[in-house]
């Protein structure tokens, strides 16, 4: 089993319900591709060190993922790049 940490930043203009929906959607993407989210943390809204896509702050989230292969990680990466609500993401293999 391989372990990954996925940190992503959501647009600050989203409502609380929209934030929960995006997190739920991406958690489901990981589960549907044969991996398991072992821990899910909301790190709250924080100021960014520099502007990203004209935003000065964002909602930070952290997923800890356990996976047999990298299929779910690649799918998360692909969809996070397309999604307009995620302004930045980082995937780290532990």
């Amino acid at each position: 089993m391989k372990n990954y940490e996925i940190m992503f930043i959501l647009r600050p203009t989203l409502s609380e319900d929209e934030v929960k929906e995006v997190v739920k959607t991406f958690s489901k993407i990981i589960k549907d591709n044969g991996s398991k989210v072992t821990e899910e943390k909301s790190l709250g809204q924080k100021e960014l060190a520099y502007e990203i896509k004209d935003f000065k702050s964002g909602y930070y989230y952290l997923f800890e993922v356990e996976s047999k292969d990298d299929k779910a990680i690649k799918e998360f990466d692909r969809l996070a790049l397309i999604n307009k609500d995620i302004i930045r993401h980082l995937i780290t293999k532990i």
Side-chain angles (χ1 to χ4, degrees):
M1 291 297 240
K2 297 176 184 175
N3 293 317
Y4 297 90
E5 274 188 355
I6 302 174
M7 179 170 280
F8 56 99
I9 306 169
L10 299 172
R11 292 184 303 130
T13 55
L14 296 174
S15 70
E16 193 173 322
D17 291 335
E18 291 172 321
V19 168
K20 287 179 184 177
E21 189 61 35
V22 172
V23 171
K24 183 179 169 185
T25 300
F26 277 89
S27 180
K28 186 176 182 325
I29 288 167
I30 291 172
K31 291 173 187 169
D32 288 348
N33 284 285
S35 295
K36 183 171 113 180
V37 177
T38 56
E39 194 168 338
E40 186 178 305
K41 290 182 193 175
S42 169
L43 304 175
Q45 186 172 3
K46 298 183 182 204
E47 286 291 317
L48 302 172
Y50 53 90
E51 279 190 25
I52 301 173
K53 298 182 183 176
D54 295 328
F55 296 114
K56 295 182 183 201
S57 67
Y59 293 105
Y60 281 69
Y61 270 85
L62 177 71
F63 284 167
E64 290 185 14
V65 178
E66 197 173 87
S67 178
K68 294 179 207 155
D69 54 21
D70 61 353
K71 179 182 172 191
I73 303 304
K74 286 182 179 178
E75 185 65 7
F76 182 98
D77 188 38
R78 184 182 75 79
L79 293 173
L81 289 170
I82 296 169
N83 192 299
K84 63 180 176 44
D85 295 328
I86 295 180
I87 58 175
R88 186 66 46 102
H89 71 283
L90 175 70
I91 301 171
T92 308
K93 186 176 177 182
I94 302 175

